[in-house]
Amino acid sequence: MKKYDVIIVGAGPAGMTAALNCLRAGKTVLLLEGESIGGQIALSPRVENYPTVQKAAGADLCDQLFQQITEWGVEFEFEGVTGIEKNEKSFVVTTDYNTYEGTAVILATGVKARHIGVEREEELVGKGVSYCALCDGMFYKGEDVAVIGDANTALQYALNLAGYCKSVHICMLFDKFFADKALVDLVLAQPNVKVTKNIALKEFLGDEELSGLRFENTKTKEEFKVDCKAAFVCIGQVPNNKMFANLVELDKNGFIVSDENCATSCDGIFVAGDCRTKKIRQFITAASDGSIAAFYASQYVDKQKA
């Protein structure tokens, strides 16, 4: 079983930044990722709030970061982590295919799209119901589509879809946007975008494929239908931390409890990015977490070797 100074779980901005800084500190690093490089930000068509970058696709930024850590010598494996056990002075990390040993661990597992939990949702996933407009949007070119959500990701999706769909209906639970003003202004300027506020989704409609959505107005309680070929759900994310509950403390929503040093309740395990307790979740805050976690993980490794 090969041993590393630091094993990092998750190859999003937080995990890759952590890898970069651990490598620069002279540590041996294994980076594990079970799905895709970049995490949620790789699905974003426009990143405009990262310093020195005027505008870029999230996937492009992540590709550059991966190339950077590759040049620094990171060891990378496309393997999903299935468990972590703590020994006296190290951690044993088990994946789908192998077992590795690390002196310190950094968890940067990110988040996944939150489902609404209404009738027909699971049945129609991939048949008109989607959580990624970049992945599935072009299948509905020239069609009427809906976006459910009111924050940055929802509006970025709506802006992207407006470029090639007949119409985009933004359906909001509340009466205001929770997104950057610049993005709101840009979306509202699109002639084929319609916004309806104060509506709650009750059911996805359709037999073999999605044909529409049934909503209830949260103020008048009136029900109505929105016809659409696709609905893109953007109502937040949930963390991927359940398998670590026996090692680190989780809050009531499943996020890993940590301090500003990105330390967890388990000595030797650090956390970075969207999967930890924090108020702001952006590319730059994930990168910041990765840098901080790397510093303290490297310091922990040095102490263990002393």
Side-chain angles (χ1 to χ4, degrees):
M1 181 167 51
K2 192 169 181 180
K3 185 173 182 179
Y4 298 85
D5 292 328
V6 183
I7 295 178
I8 300 171
V9 184
M16 288 194 286
T17 303
L20 174 64
N21 284 276
C22 286
L23 290 164
R24 286 173 52 83
K27 303 297 181 280
T28 57
V29 177
L30 173 64
L31 179 62
L32 299 169
E33 172 58 58
E35 295 184 4
S36 59
I37 295 169
Q40 292 287 306
I41 196 68
L43 304 177
S44 177
R46 297 162 64 97
V47 176
E48 299 178 323
N49 59 354
Y50 195 80
T52 76
V53 177
Q54 186 74 10
K55 179 173 63 178
D60 291 341
L61 291 175
C62 292
D63 286 346
Q64 293 176 39
L65 184 51
F66 185 74
Q67 181 179 349
Q68 187 176 15
I69 62 174
T70 299
E71 291 176 355
W72 273 93
V74 71
E75 291 194 38
F76 175 78
E77 297 291 345
F78 256 127
E79 299 177 14
V81 172
T82 57
I84 299 177
E85 293 182 6
K86 181 176 174 60
N87 292 334
E88 185 178 349
K89 283 196 171 183
S90 66
F91 296 90
V92 176
V93 179
T94 304
T95 73
D96 302 321
Y97 306 104
N98 293 293
T99 301
Y100 305 98
E101 185 177 4
T103 301
V105 171
I106 297 175
L107 300 176
T109 51
V111 292
K112 290 186 176 181
R114 185 184 299 278
H115 291 206
I116 297 177
V118 299
E119 287 188 53
R120 308 297 312 287
E121 181 173 13
E122 303 304 325
E123 296 174 47
L124 293 172
V125 170
K127 302 174 183 178
V129 175
S130 172
Y131 305 89
C132 177
L134 298 185
C135 309
D136 304 324
M138 282 302 294
F139 294 124
Y140 303 97
K141 182 179 180 180
E143 302 284 1
D144 297 310
V145 301
V147 173
I148 302 171
D150 49 32
N152 280 338
T153 299
L155 297 199
Q156 287 176 334
Y157 281 178
L159 186 62
N160 181 266
L161 292 164
Y164 52 81
C165 290
K166 181 180 179 181
S167 70
V168 181
H169 195 151
I170 300 177
C171 306
M172 298 168 49
L173 180 61
F174 301 105
D175 61 357
K176 66 176 182 178
F177 289 104
F178 296 89
D180 297 338
K181 184 179 184 302
L183 187 56
V184 173
D185 293 342
L186 194 58
V187 169
L188 294 181
Q190 305 305 309
N192 60 338
V193 171
K194 178 182 179 181
V195 177
T196 304
K197 302 178 180 179
N198 298 312
I199 55 174
L201 182 66
K202 294 299 180 181
E203 184 182 4
F204 290 94
L205 305 172
D207 296 323
E208 298 299 319
E209 295 183 353
L210 184 75
S211 62
L213 308 168
R214 181 171 64 87
F215 286 97
E216 179 185 82
N217 186 292
T218 57
K219 292 187 175 181
T220 66
K221 303 304 178 183
E222 176 186 1
E223 290 195 356
F224 65 97
K225 178 183 174 183
V226 172
D227 293 323
C228 61
K229 291 289 188 179
F232 298 92
V233 180
C234 314
I235 58 168
Q237 296 85 31
V238 292
N240 309 316
N241 298 324
K242 287 184 180 179
M243 74 174 70
F244 311 124
N246 63 320
L247 282 174
V248 298
E249 181 185 356
L250 308 181
D251 71 5
K252 63 180 181 180
N253 296 313
F255 292 93
I256 298 172
V257 176
S258 68
D259 59 16
E260 289 306 304
N261 295 338
C262 292
T264 70
S265 58
C266 180
D267 198 29
I269 296 184
F270 302 85
V271 61
D274 290 358
C275 64
R276 82 174 185 94
T277 50
K278 58 191 299 184
K279 292 185 177 180
I280 307 298
R281 292 181 170 86
Q282 295 180 342
F283 189 114
I284 192 169
T285 63
S288 173
D289 282 355
S291 179
I292 294 168
F295 176 85
Y296 286 103
S298 297
Q299 191 177 77
Y300 176 85
V301 171
D302 290 340
K303 289 180 180 177
Q304 296 303 304
K305 291 182 176 181

